[in-house]
Amino acid sequence: MELKKLDEGLFWPDYENSIVNFSNSILELFDEKPLHRPFNFPKRVLENVRKVIVMVVDGLSFEIFSDTIHDDDVQVFPCSAVFPTTTAAALPSLYSALTPLEHGFLGYILYLREVGSLVNMIEMSPPGLPRDSVLRFHDFRFITIFQRLQDKVKNFFLVPRYLLGTGFSRIMSRGSEQIGFSSFGDMIEKTLEILENPDRTLVFIYWPTLDSIAHKNGVGREYIRELRWIYRILKFELLRRLKQDTLFFLVSDHGQISTPQDNEIWWDFSSEVMRFLDRPPTGEQRMMFLYTKKKRALIEYLKEKYGDFAVFLDPKDFVHLFGTGRKHSEFFSRVGDAVLITKETFSFNYRYTGKEESLSGRHGSLSYQELVVPLVVYRRW
């Protein structure tokens, strides 16, 4: 996959061959008008399909998958994630077939002007406050592919039981039946039960374990062993039992890289950089949105002090890092006045609550490992 270079070691997302295009292929396959150009699959793969399974494996790069899994029974395509390369932006793209520019879910921590607060977009609450507290008085306008397809297809949304019914999952699954599972085996059994119905069917499955391992231990031996185990069980217990009218996809929301503690920069309310900022930074630990009324002074300061660790961009000049299409009405209020994108294995971390910890693996930036994910296709013939 050839990507346009943004900076040394950093690349532009490819919104012609991305997870957004993949989700638009699902719309087109089930006779719904796509919102963007569909992914360029071989036509034969999509013919005479009545049931589709999409397994989203969080935190898996194309590079790692290709080096670890060798299986002639599947086709594997390199596929661009979105920017930022984070679950909070990528899952909304997979579930809506829209770019982050359009759907407005632009990072893990965002400043929401309509709420008047920083909000953790996975927990759906200001940092440190109870989960889903924002949803008590604010609703996100978000249309899923399940809603677009609900008159044509039976939709199912499978997540680990501890995520069942959470605010983020409820928003992402609108128009589908949400089902919780307790283990990998339970997930497979529930999927096979769903496939027994005769209707046209779409099943989305979310599996978070690889991402969790990478955050805790980096992209190392435990991560690779888990990937091999996942794929082996998936192949023998699910794929080989699928019928010819069923199409299986495995895709990821973003990749991962190992991030050593020596390359961590930590900020808090007393840090020097706060002289230039109007509020705490938002975004990710490998990508931040910065708010300031002193843009030129801020960027000069950052380049002088942190120029070896990150690039600093004006979002007005780099709108299309976030995709194509019509801008969300709150786009500019959510991306701030400057965007910080880390280089190599560096991370910038802000202490919102004082309970933040070092991580051995991160994502959010635009390295090849974070940006390019596998799109795996299996079909029985």
Side-chain angles (χ1 to χ4, degrees):
M1 184 178 216
E2 293 187 11
L3 296 172
K4 181 181 174 184
K5 198 171 186 179
L6 176 68
D7 201 276
E8 189 62 37
L10 302 176
F11 300 90
W12 283 80
D14 181 356
Y15 288 105
E16 293 295 310
N17 299 283
S18 73
I19 58 176
V20 176
N21 307 101
F22 164 68
S23 291
N24 278 276
S25 295
I26 302 295
L27 291 176
E28 185 178 59
L29 190 153
F30 286 120
D31 307 317
E32 180 67 20
K33 184 179 179 180
L35 308 172
H36 290 276
R37 188 183 69 83
F39 199 89
N40 188 28
F41 290 114
K43 289 185 178 180
R44 180 170 177 257
V45 170
L46 306 178
E47 290 176 348
N48 302 316
V49 172
R50 288 187 54 78
K51 302 177 192 296
V52 173
I53 305 168
V54 180
M55 183 172 180
V56 182
V57 177
D58 199 324
L60 176 59
S61 71
F62 173 79
E63 195 173 71
I64 291 291
F65 184 89
S66 299
D67 289 346
T68 305
I69 304 298
H70 306 283
D71 183 359
D72 292 337
D73 292 335
V74 300
Q75 293 178 274
V76 186
F77 301 91
C79 181
S80 174
V82 297
F83 180 72
T85 52
T86 181
T87 301
L91 289 188
S93 284
L94 280 167
Y95 298 141
S96 70
L98 296 173
T99 68
L101 180 70
E102 296 171 303
H103 60 61
F105 284 74
L106 296 161
Y108 182 61
I109 304 289
L110 290 184
Y111 172 69
L112 300 188
R113 183 171 59 175
E114 61 274 38
V115 174
S117 172
L118 271 60
V119 173
N120 181 317
M121 298 297 286
I122 298 293
E123 299 287 333
M124 287 288 155
S125 64
L129 293 185
R131 181 191 281 268
D132 297 338
S133 55
V134 165
L135 297 180
R136 296 173 189 169
F137 57 88
H138 178 73
D139 184 34
F140 291 89
R141 296 179 181 178
F142 186 80
I143 299 175
T144 69
I145 60 173
F146 310 118
Q147 289 171 299
R148 296 182 189 278
L149 293 171
Q150 59 188 351
D151 294 332
K152 302 175 180 181
V153 182
K154 283 197 172 181
N155 298 294
F156 297 88
F157 185 93
L158 274 64
V159 293
R161 195 173 299 279
Y162 69 89
L163 295 175
L164 187 66
T166 61
F168 185 77
S169 290
R170 293 200 309 271
I171 293 169
M172 296 299 111
S173 65
R174 288 171 177 168
S176 70
E177 180 180 344
Q178 191 177 159
I179 298 173
F181 55 82
S182 56
S183 66
F184 201 80
D186 186 36
M187 177 269 289
I188 289 176
E189 287 304 310
K190 282 183 166 60
T191 301
L192 291 171
E193 289 173 12
I194 290 168
L195 294 176
E196 289 177 2
N197 82 77
D199 303 299
R200 299 176 86 192
T201 304
L202 173 61
V203 183
F204 260 77
I205 304 165
Y206 174 65
W207 185 257
T209 308
L210 273 181
D211 185 70
S212 299
I213 290 172
H215 282 310
K216 183 178 180 180
N217 298 317
V219 184
R221 285 179 295 181
E222 183 181 353
Y223 178 97
I224 298 300
R225 187 175 294 112
E226 180 78 5
L227 173 58
R228 287 177 176 149
W229 178 86
I230 287 172
Y231 193 82
R232 185 180 301 119
I233 301 301
L234 192 68
K235 179 75 180 286
F236 286 93
E237 298 296 337
L238 180 62
L239 299 192
R240 292 189 173 186
R241 297 165 72 178
L242 299 181
K243 297 180 180 178
Q244 290 183 337
D245 66 350
T246 303
L247 179 58
F248 174 88
F249 294 104
L250 183 149
V251 68
S252 188
D253 50 353
H254 56 76
Q256 279 268 16
I257 63 166
S258 295
T259 51
Q261 288 189 18
D262 290 345
N263 287 349
E264 295 179 348
I265 293 96
W266 284 89
W267 290 339
D268 59 28
F269 70 93
S270 64
S271 298
E272 185 180 40
V273 70
M274 295 305 294
R275 293 193 293 114
F276 301 91
L277 300 182
D278 297 338
R279 61 176 59 93
T282 60
E284 309 288 323
Q285 295 179 346
R286 298 251 311 145
M287 184 287 310
M288 282 183 164
F289 301 130
L290 307 175
Y291 292 80
T292 183
K293 294 183 179 68
K294 309 170 185 175
K295 185 185 296 188
R296 181 177 297 179
L298 170 65
I299 291 180
E300 287 177 0
Y301 167 82
L302 292 171
K303 285 182 177 179
E304 180 180 350
K305 189 159 186 177
Y306 301 108
D308 292 338
F309 311 141
V311 296
F312 312 99
L313 309 176
D314 187 330
K316 292 181 180 178
D317 298 329
F318 290 87
V319 168
H320 293 301
L321 276 178
F322 301 88
T324 58
R326 184 178 180 180
K327 287 192 295 291
H328 188 276
S329 61
E330 292 295 324
F331 173 77
F332 281 117
S333 73
R334 294 182 184 180
V335 298
D337 303 294
V339 179
L340 179 160
I341 304 175
T342 55
K343 301 177 183 179
E344 300 176 6
T345 60
F346 292 98
S347 65
F348 284 71
N349 312 273
Y350 188 83
R351 299 189 190 279
Y352 299 100
T353 67
K355 297 180 180 179
E356 290 76 14
E357 298 178 348
S358 294
L359 299 174
S360 296
R362 292 178 172 89
H363 49 83
S365 185
L366 288 169
S367 68
Y368 188 88
Q369 292 87 349
E370 292 161 282
L371 183 58
V372 183
V373 300
L375 178 47
V376 182
V377 185
Y378 176 83
R379 178 91 186 268
R380 284 190 64 185
W381 301 105

